[in-house]
């Protein structure tokens, strides 16, 4: 598959001279350090990426995670979580302080990675930075996209893993079979609710994803933090933050009937980002102190010094 990214409205095209186009050969190459980083065929467990059926030490726990997630992520639950966490009254801290907090977090839903999250953030950001040196907003998006996982920590309510991590999906309409471990949705009460179990449910065709309630987790929380703290990142960055775990859409093409024109444009950026988010989960280590000044400068450019969380 080849992805052709047209000139975005908010700046010069990623990694090109003005007016040029750049073609991305899907899953062929990433640059993480001096020279070329070839996308690995297997993850750190020796299995293919996002293989939820592969037998391995984490497979049983990952499947149990999705069973609990799919049972409990209802439309009413998401409404309650968004109402509570949109208050942003937990703590005040900077973006970098939040990055450091992620040293305490391991994502139990991820079949590809068991390193502390700060490693993944820097791997993603640095991979993007090498390929797209002129698009600093995209570098910063790579760094911050998973910061919402602090919801797992006591000071943020210590939410269970199923309410923080994992693939996300719309609630309030039928659960598409493209969602991982779809069979467990049959235990979700919304599955049998006629208000929620049709193709459109409570939505309408082309309503726009901004009007769709997504399963609650770190994606939506970090989106709320960025938006309500008046960050100046472009709309594509906010789209990436909010939907980077929405694999049923950006890998399988499900739920496109809910998208509007802006969603279609931003989805191009998300699909580019996802390659770095997924395949930079490697053994490549990043020198945190070496890159820290650069990312602090981007944080200062796009965010206030302290944010409400």
């Amino acid at each position: 598959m080849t992805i052709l990214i047209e000139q975005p409205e908010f700046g010069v095209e990623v990694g090109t001279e003005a007016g040029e186009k750049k073609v991305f050969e899907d899953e062929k190459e990433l640059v993480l350090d001096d020279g070329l980083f070839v996308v690995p065929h297997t993850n750190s467990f020796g299995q293919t990426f996002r293989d939820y059926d592969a037998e391995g030490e984490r497979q049983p726990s990952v499947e149990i995670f999705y069973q609990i997630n799919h049972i409990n992520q209802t439309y009413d639950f998401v409404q309650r979580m968004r109402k509570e966490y949109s208050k942003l009254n937990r703590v005040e801290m900077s973006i970098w302080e939040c990055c450091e907090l992620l040293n305490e977090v391991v994502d139990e839903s991820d079949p590809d990675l068991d390193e502390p999250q700060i490693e993944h953030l820097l791997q993603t950001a640095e991979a993007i930075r090498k390929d797209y040196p002129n698009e600093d907003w995209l570098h910063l998006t790579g760094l911050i996209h998973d910061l919402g996982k602090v919801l797992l920590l006591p000071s943020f309510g210590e939410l269970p893993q199923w309410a923080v991590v994992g693939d996300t999906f719309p609630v309030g309409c039928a659960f598409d079979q493209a969602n991982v471990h779809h069979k467990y949705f049959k235990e979700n009460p919304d599955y049998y609710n006629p208000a929620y179990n049709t193709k459109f449910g409570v939505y309408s065709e082309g309503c726009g994803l901004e009007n769709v309630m997504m399963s609650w987790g770190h994606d939506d929380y970090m989106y709320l933090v960025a938006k309500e703290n008046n960050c100046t990142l472009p709309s594509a960055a906010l789209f990436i933050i909010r939907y980077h775990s929405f694999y049923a859409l950006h890998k399988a093409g499900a739920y496109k009937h809910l998208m509007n024109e802006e969603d279609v444009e931003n989805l191009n950026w998300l699909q580019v980002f996802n390659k770095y988010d997924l395949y930079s989960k490697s053994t490549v280590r990043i020198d945190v102190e070496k890159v820290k000044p650069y990312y602090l400068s981007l944080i200062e450019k796009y965010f206030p010094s302290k944010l409400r969380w």
Side-chain angles (χ1 to χ4, degrees):
M1 181 179 69
T2 299
I3 302 173
L4 184 63
I5 302 297
E6 298 294 338
Q7 178 80 7
E9 295 181 359
F10 42 79
V12 176
E13 183 149 22
V14 180
T16 67
E17 298 287 337
E20 292 182 357
K21 296 178 181 179
K22 183 171 182 177
V23 176
F24 301 89
E25 301 281 337
D26 187 44
E27 299 180 8
K28 282 192 177 179
E29 60 183 41
L30 295 178
V31 181
L32 284 183
D33 207 340
D34 295 335
L36 197 64
F37 174 78
V38 178
V39 171
H41 295 294
T42 59
N43 61 25
S44 59
F45 298 102
Q47 300 157 354
T48 55
F49 286 89
R50 288 182 58 80
D51 186 348
Y52 289 95
D53 296 318
E55 293 185 5
E57 60 184 273
R58 298 195 70 188
Q59 191 275 338
S61 63
V62 170
E63 182 163 353
I64 291 171
F65 163 87
Y66 275 107
Q67 180 180 19
I68 299 171
N69 172 278
H70 291 355
I71 292 172
N72 289 285
Q73 289 276 3
T74 65
Y75 188 78
D76 289 343
F77 171 76
V78 172
Q79 282 189 312
R80 285 189 282 110
M81 289 295 99
R82 284 195 116 243
K83 181 179 180 181
E84 174 62 26
Y85 280 92
S86 64
K87 297 173 183 177
L88 301 179
N89 60 359
R90 299 283 168 172
V91 67
E92 287 193 6
M93 64 179 172
S94 69
I95 289 289
W96 190 263
E97 286 173 322
C98 189
C99 289
E100 292 179 331
L101 277 181
L102 284 200
N103 280 323
E104 304 174 34
V105 172
V106 173
D107 183 343
E108 292 180 0
S109 74
D110 194 335
D112 300 321
L113 187 72
D114 62 357
E115 296 291 336
Q117 293 299 304
I118 188 65
E119 290 283 336
H120 170 53
L121 297 184
L122 287 170
Q123 287 170 349
T124 303
E126 284 294 282
I128 295 170
R129 182 183 175 191
K130 290 292 185 180
D131 275 3
Y132 306 109
N134 298 323
E135 298 296 329
D136 64 1
W137 67 269
L138 196 57
H139 313 164
L140 183 57
T141 302
L143 179 71
I144 71 173
H145 74 284
D146 274 347
L147 292 188
K149 291 181 181 180
V150 293
L151 289 174
L152 294 167
L153 302 177
S155 57
F156 290 83
E158 201 168 11
L159 294 182
Q161 290 260 342
W162 64 262
V164 180
V165 298
D167 287 15
T168 58
F169 46 85
V171 294
C173 62
F175 301 113
D176 194 278
Q177 291 192 358
N179 291 302
V180 63
H181 290 306
H182 174 270
K183 60 185 177 182
Y184 293 119
F185 284 118
K186 292 182 180 180
E187 301 177 58
N188 184 309
D190 288 359
Y191 188 88
Y192 302 98
N193 188 330
Y196 302 142
N197 65 4
T198 62
K199 179 179 180 179
F200 292 102
V202 299
Y203 311 114
S204 59
E205 186 168 9
C207 63
L209 293 180
E210 65 178 346
N211 297 308
V212 173
M213 299 280 280
M214 299 294 295
S215 56
W216 177 250
H218 72 279
D219 306 58
D220 212 21
Y221 177 60
M222 188 59 207
Y223 165 77
L224 289 173
V225 170
K227 182 180 179 182
E228 296 303 317
N229 281 282
N230 299 314
C231 85
T232 56
L233 287 169
S235 64
L238 296 179
F239 188 91
I240 289 168
I241 291 168
R242 194 175 194 185
Y243 304 112
H244 68 270
S245 300
F246 190 7
Y247 277 89
L249 170 66
H250 57 74
K251 297 299 283 187
Y255 299 103
K256 285 189 174 181
H257 55 282
L258 300 176
M259 297 171 62
N260 60 23
E261 291 183 6
E262 184 178 10
D263 295 330
V264 173
E265 180 179 347
N266 286 334
L267 180 59
N268 289 326
W269 285 110
L270 176 54
Q271 288 173 325
V272 169
F273 175 87
N274 178 253
K275 183 175 71 171
Y276 296 88
D277 183 20
L278 178 60
Y279 293 107
S280 64
K281 295 173 182 178
S282 69
T283 57
V284 174
R285 306 305 294 267
I286 305 297
D287 185 336
V288 177
E289 292 306 312
K290 181 178 179 180
V291 301
K292 181 177 178 179
Y294 174 70
Y295 289 103
L296 288 177
S297 72
L298 297 189
I299 292 168
E300 183 179 2
K301 178 178 179 179
Y302 290 104
F303 282 92
S305 59
K306 293 287 185 180
L307 286 73
R308 295 177 295 114
W309 299 78

